[in-house]
Amino acid sequence: MRKKILAVMVVLLLAAGSASAQLSLGGTGAVFASADQSLESIVDLFKDGEGIFYGPFLEFGMNRIAFGVAFNWSYYSTTYGETVTKMVDYDLNGYLQGHLLSYKSFLDPFVEVGFGQIATDYAEDDPDSSAPLRATKYFQVGGGLGVNLGNLGVFAKALYMVPADEPVLANSGGYSYSLEEYPLKPLKFFVGAKVIL
């Protein structure tokens, strides 16, 4: 799965480099929250560093439109009896942004829509690397605000996520089966930084 994600990012990088667009590379930290959580509790999640999904993103944007792909993950350990197993939750999504002023403006308010999948798998010694243990596809919509200083930018955004009706399928032994659903929370908050090349 990780090889496929890297291949997609390389293809997008090559496509973006050959297009007449601004290419941006960056990183984000993201937390997931329920609808009843307060803003203070969400800020505390970022401060504590607990449950944060970290990862890179790639964007290419024209004047007021940007396309991007992001991959974030969070490692943790689970104990079964006396056995400690390292696990990873990961979130892969593609998105389209509309920038109200321009992609490189000093103040950069934007709206965003996208599609993604969040999943759980073994971090090490995966007995079946062809499919995660559980996964959920989703649609996302939201917005954010960025501040750009030349080629360097920082931003924050909030997204509302709705699970897609289509189940996530895995293939094994010549037949398909539905994966267990990932317990998706409805809200996702990002802070990030980027370099506009």
Side-chain angles (χ1 to χ4, degrees):
M1 181 66 180
R2 293 185 195 103
K3 291 179 181 178
K4 291 179 184 177
I5 292 166
L6 289 174
V8 168
M9 292 185 78
V10 168
V11 168
L12 284 175
L13 177 64
L14 294 174
S18 63
S20 58
Q22 295 289 325
L23 174 65
S24 295
L25 300 172
T28 58
V31 296
F32 294 82
S34 57
D36 59 351
Q37 281 185 257
S38 67
L39 183 59
E40 182 180 358
S41 69
I42 292 164
V43 171
D44 287 342
L45 289 175
F46 278 108
K47 286 181 180 178
D48 296 341
E50 184 176 338
I52 295 182
F53 283 58
Y54 297 97
F57 69 90
L58 169 70
E59 282 179 358
F60 58 101
M62 280 67 58
N63 184 29
R64 294 192 178 183
I65 299 291
F67 301 91
V69 62
F71 181 55
N72 293 72
W73 59 85
S74 178
Y75 288 96
Y76 58 96
S77 296
T78 301
T79 303
Y80 299 102
E82 296 182 1
T83 304
V84 177
T85 305
K86 292 185 178 179
M87 306 295 291
V88 60
D89 288 348
Y90 60 88
D91 178 24
L92 173 65
N93 62 83
Y95 54 87
L96 169 67
Q97 292 177 340
H99 292 259
L100 304 183
L101 301 175
S102 76
Y103 187 68
K104 289 189 72 176
S105 64
F106 171 67
L107 284 178
D108 178 24
F110 59 89
V111 294
E112 179 176 315
V113 295
F115 180 76
Q117 177 175 296
I118 187 166
T120 297
D121 207 351
Y122 295 106
E124 298 175 352
D125 302 323
D126 189 350
D128 181 10
S129 60
S130 64
L133 297 174
R134 60 182 183 174
T136 297
K137 294 179 182 176
Y138 62 85
F139 298 100
Q140 63 185 23
V141 61
L145 177 66
V147 176
N148 297 311
L149 298 171
N151 290 340
L152 298 177
V154 294
F155 63 90
K157 64 181 179 179
L159 300 170
Y160 180 73
M161 297 183 298
V162 179
D165 290 336
E166 181 183 353
V168 179
L169 300 177
N171 296 298
S172 178
Y175 66 94
S176 295
Y177 60 95
S178 296
L179 291 175
E180 175 189 348
E181 289 187 7
Y182 186 96
L184 184 68
K185 292 186 177 179
L187 298 174
K188 179 166 53 171
F189 296 88
F190 285 88
V191 293
K194 64 184 178 182
V195 176
I196 304 172
L197 304 176

